[in-house]
Amino acid sequence: MKTVFQRAIVLCSIAIAGTATAQPEAAPTWRAMTFHDFRQPSANDVLQTIVWPDVIASANAYAENELKRPLNGRNALTTALSSTYQLGDRTVIISTALVRGCDSGANSSGAEIEPSICPLRIVVMKDGKVVSSKAESGCYVDHADKDLPEKNRADSSYTQFDPKTGAIAFRTVVGGKAIPACQRTYTIN
């Protein structure tokens, strides 16, 4: 006759064996992109130094030369959304920036909020160096803001990364609804 302790070990072994078998892999989850405001220059910010330096320089030149606004050591208003993923020893960054060249749709006071179609960049880095990069377009929505209409305070762009296929899915939600034109899939090189 088995002791209580022996029965407990057998039950634990069966439970552990049961959890080790045929567990489905979790599907990648959607992650809200992080908002970045580049007005404060940073030599340590990868988005400012590697992903978007040309966009920041262009915005600065426009502000100082065309608008005649001194920046006094700061950057012109430039914002971006980004997601970062680790893939072994590589870092994958997907980012979209709100720039003057974005297709921003309707902007009258009675218009509904729409996403802007803006430049999107995917950069893969290893040991602090870019090993591949890709330029695409993607949707940008303003970061959650208490001044937005209530239905738009949770608007955001989202990414999902599948490390097995190297695919990055991208979607944008405005007013609680996914925008079909913003649903895209990109692959890393």
Side-chain angles (χ1 to χ4, degrees):
M1 182 161 168
K2 294 182 179 176
T3 67
V4 172
F5 179 71
Q6 289 171 324
R7 278 185 255 164
I9 290 175
V10 170
L11 290 174
C12 285
S13 298
I14 293 169
I16 290 169
T19 59
T21 60
Q23 289 292 324
E25 285 190 34
T29 58
W30 287 102
R31 181 188 305 173
M33 297 180 83
T34 303
F35 174 80
H36 303 272
D37 182 339
F38 299 139
R39 285 181 282 190
Q40 182 61 46
S42 172
N44 299 319
D45 181 355
V46 172
L47 291 174
Q48 289 189 43
T49 60
I50 294 176
V51 180
W52 298 112
D54 56 324
V55 166
I56 294 168
S58 176
N60 289 347
Y62 180 76
E64 289 183 315
N65 300 331
E66 301 294 322
L67 301 177
K68 306 295 184 206
R69 293 185 183 151
L71 295 174
N72 302 318
R74 292 180 51 93
N75 288 324
L77 178 60
T78 306
T79 60
L81 303 172
S82 76
S83 292
T84 303
Y85 296 93
Q86 283 303 128
L87 181 60
D89 60 351
R90 297 180 293 166
T91 302
V92 179
I93 302 167
I94 180 170
S95 180
T96 182
L98 186 61
V99 299
R100 285 184 301 123
C102 291
D103 179 2
S104 296
N107 64 359
S108 70
S109 62
E112 291 288 319
I113 292 177
E114 298 178 13
S116 299
I117 306 299
C118 296
L120 179 134
R121 295 180 180 171
I122 300 168
V123 175
V124 180
M125 299 181 67
K126 181 178 177 181
D127 299 325
K129 294 184 171 74
V130 175
V131 294
S132 70
S133 64
K134 182 183 281 193
E136 299 283 349
S137 63
C139 291
Y140 182 105
V141 292
D142 285 328
H143 184 64
D145 184 336
K146 63 180 174 60
D147 294 332
L148 291 171
E150 189 170 334
K151 72 176 185 175
N152 295 102
R153 291 183 189 160
D155 290 358
S156 195
S157 289
Y158 298 86
T159 59
Q160 183 182 70
F161 181 59
D162 184 347
K164 288 184 178 177
T165 63
I168 299 171
F170 183 85
R171 73 176 182 180
T172 298
V173 175
V174 175
K177 297 178 184 167
I179 306 299
C182 296
Q183 295 177 339
R184 301 169 185 202
T185 301
Y186 309 99
T187 56
I188 61 173
N189 298 357

